[in-house]
């Protein structure tokens, strides 16, 4: 059974929550893929991990610095490992109606703990 989108489940995005991307989004070089391969700094493999989006904020229409949208905008971060032992943070925003269709309930990704250790200056 395919996972339900937030729109199908009747839920709304919440600040501080993780959501799973249900399908690829975008085209070409800038495409955000649903799944990816992550290798932790200790060498633990996480093949076919589901991309998780973390909601940083849900902002009102026409909020300064976000751009114009006629509806609320969901500001998110997502993580990737561009090289072994390094975690990069990326940001993306969606009109809330699009976000509700693209994501379902998610969970904290494996690389999040590695990001926190990297930010604290600890060994990964």
């Amino acid at each position: 059974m395919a996972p339900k989108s937030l729109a199908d489940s009747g839920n709304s995005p919440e600040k501080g929550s993780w959501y799973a991307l249900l399908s690829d989004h975008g085209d070409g070089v800038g495409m955000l893929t649903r799944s990816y391969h992550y290798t932790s700094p200790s060498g633990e493999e996480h093949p076919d991990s589901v991309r998780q989006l973390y909601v940083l904020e849900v902002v009102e229409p026409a909020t300064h610095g976000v751009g114009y949208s006629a509806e609320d905008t969901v500001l998110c971060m997502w993580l990737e490992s561009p090289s072994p032992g390094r975690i990069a943070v990326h940001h993306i925003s969606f009109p809330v109606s699009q976000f509700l269709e693209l994501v379902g309930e998610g969970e904290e990704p494996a690389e999040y703990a590695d990001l926190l250790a990297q930010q604290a200056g600890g060994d990964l």
Side-chain angles (χ1 to χ4, degrees):
M1 184 170 143
K4 282 182 149 185
S5 71
L6 286 185
D8 290 340
S9 64
N11 293 329
S12 298
E14 294 182 27
K15 179 179 177 179
S17 295
W18 291 98
Y19 296 95
L21 189 63
L22 300 178
S23 62
D24 293 350
H25 175 70
D27 300 314
V29 175
M31 179 161 47
L32 187 59
T33 58
R34 178 191 176 279
S35 63
Y36 63 100
H37 184 95
Y38 173 65
T39 304
S40 74
S42 65
E44 184 179 350
E45 298 285 327
H46 298 271
D48 299 319
S49 295
V50 174
R51 177 96 47 215
Q52 302 292 318
L53 301 176
Y54 181 80
V55 175
L56 299 166
E57 194 72 56
V58 180
V59 298
E60 295 178 349
T63 297
H64 180 73
V66 176
Y68 179 76
S69 175
E71 60 183 298
D72 287 355
T73 299
V74 182
L75 305 176
C76 305
M77 78 169 185
W78 58 277
L79 307 173
E80 83 171 328
S81 182
S83 63
R86 304 310 305 157
I87 308 298
V89 176
H90 300 279
H91 296 95
I92 191 166
S93 63
F94 299 94
V96 73
S97 59
Q98 183 181 29
F99 185 80
L100 293 174
E101 294 293 333
L102 288 172
V103 303
E105 296 299 324
E107 60 188 15
E108 185 177 293
E111 63 270 32
Y112 188 63
D114 296 331
L115 171 67
L116 296 177
Q118 175 180 301
Q119 290 175 334
D123 292 332
L124 295 179

